[in-house]
Each structure stands twice: as structure tokens, then as C-alpha cells.
């Protein structure tokens, strides 16, 4: 059974040129039992997405929010979003011989 996260968060962006929009999933490392990166599929406000949860040092993960996704849901920095994310199985890397 795959792990499913349901989370409400606000869209953030740092005032650094080139930094994209993101959401932070607080206490996610405790809920997911991992402090590593995770591939996820799911929805942001009913819009289908795929991405990678990246770990933070404070026990949370962050997810990059693409401009396409923000435009599709009509949200901007500071707006609240609902996330439903399903952790995908880790892909095995096969070395070429």
C-alpha cells in the first residue's frame, strides 16, 4: 500500500532571482518515515501533478510548484492550496554493462 499525504499549505517564494514557487509540508519526515527525496503523484487543488518532495533540515519536505500548475489553479504567492500526494515506489537504477 502506497503512502498518501493530504496537506494544506501556502505558496511561498523567496526574494531571490531564479527561485521558483514552493510549498512546505511540515513534519513530513516523521509521517513518511524518511528524510530523503521522494517521487510523488497527486493533485494540487484538483489539478494533476508529478514531482519530487525534497527534504529540509527541520523535519519537513518542500515541493517545487511549477508556473503551469499555479496558472491552472489560479493561485499565486501567499494563497492556500490543498495537496493530495501519493508516494511512488523507488525506481531501480540498472548499470549498463
Amino acid at each position: 500500500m502506497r503512502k498518501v499525504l493530504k496537506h494544506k499549505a501556502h505558496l511561498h517564494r523567496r526574494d531571490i532571482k531564479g527561485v521558483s514557487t514552493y510549498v512546505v509540508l511540515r513534519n513530513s519526515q516523521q509521517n513518511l518515515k524518511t528524510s530523503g527525496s521522494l517521487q510523488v503523484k497527486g493533485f494540487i487543488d484538483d489539478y494533476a501533478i508529478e514531482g519530487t518532495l525534497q527534504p529540509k533540515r527541520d523535519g519537513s519536505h518542500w515541493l517545487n510548484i511549477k508556473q503551469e500548475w499555479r496558472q491552472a489553479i489560479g493561485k499565486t504567492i501567499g494563497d492556500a492550496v490543498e495537496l493530495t500526494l501519493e508516494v511512488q515506489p523507488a525506481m531501480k537504477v540498472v548499470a549498463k554493462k
Side-chain angles (χ1 to χ4, degrees):
M1 181 175 190
R2 294 187 185 160
K3 185 77 173 177
V4 175
L5 292 173
K6 293 190 178 202
H7 195 82
K8 291 182 181 179
H10 287 86
L11 298 176
H12 297 280
R13 178 187 280 164
R14 293 187 185 232
D15 291 330
I16 302 170
K17 186 176 181 174
V19 173
S20 57
T21 306
Y22 63 95
V23 293
V24 176
L25 286 74
R26 302 276 176 223
N27 300 319
S28 57
Q29 290 180 22
Q30 180 181 351
N31 296 334
L32 295 169
K33 309 286 190 253
T34 184
S35 59
S37 298
L38 297 166
Q39 295 295 315
V40 293
K41 283 185 180 181
F43 296 90
I44 181 169
D45 286 354
D46 297 322
Y47 183 78
I49 63 171
E50 290 184 37
T52 304
L53 289 179
Q54 298 289 342
K56 294 180 65 176
R57 293 182 183 174
D58 66 358
S60 62
H61 281 82
W62 64 275
L63 175 67
N64 182 51
I65 304 299
K66 297 179 182 180
Q67 182 178 3
E68 169 194 338
W69 303 350
R70 283 189 295 115
Q71 290 174 343
I73 62 174
K75 301 281 178 90
T76 189
I77 310 309
D79 290 343
V81 294
E82 252 185 74
L83 297 160
T84 302
L85 303 172
E86 181 179 43
V87 177
Q88 300 301 296
M91 296 184 65
K92 293 181 181 178
V93 177
V94 179
K96 291 184 179 181
K97 292 183 180 183

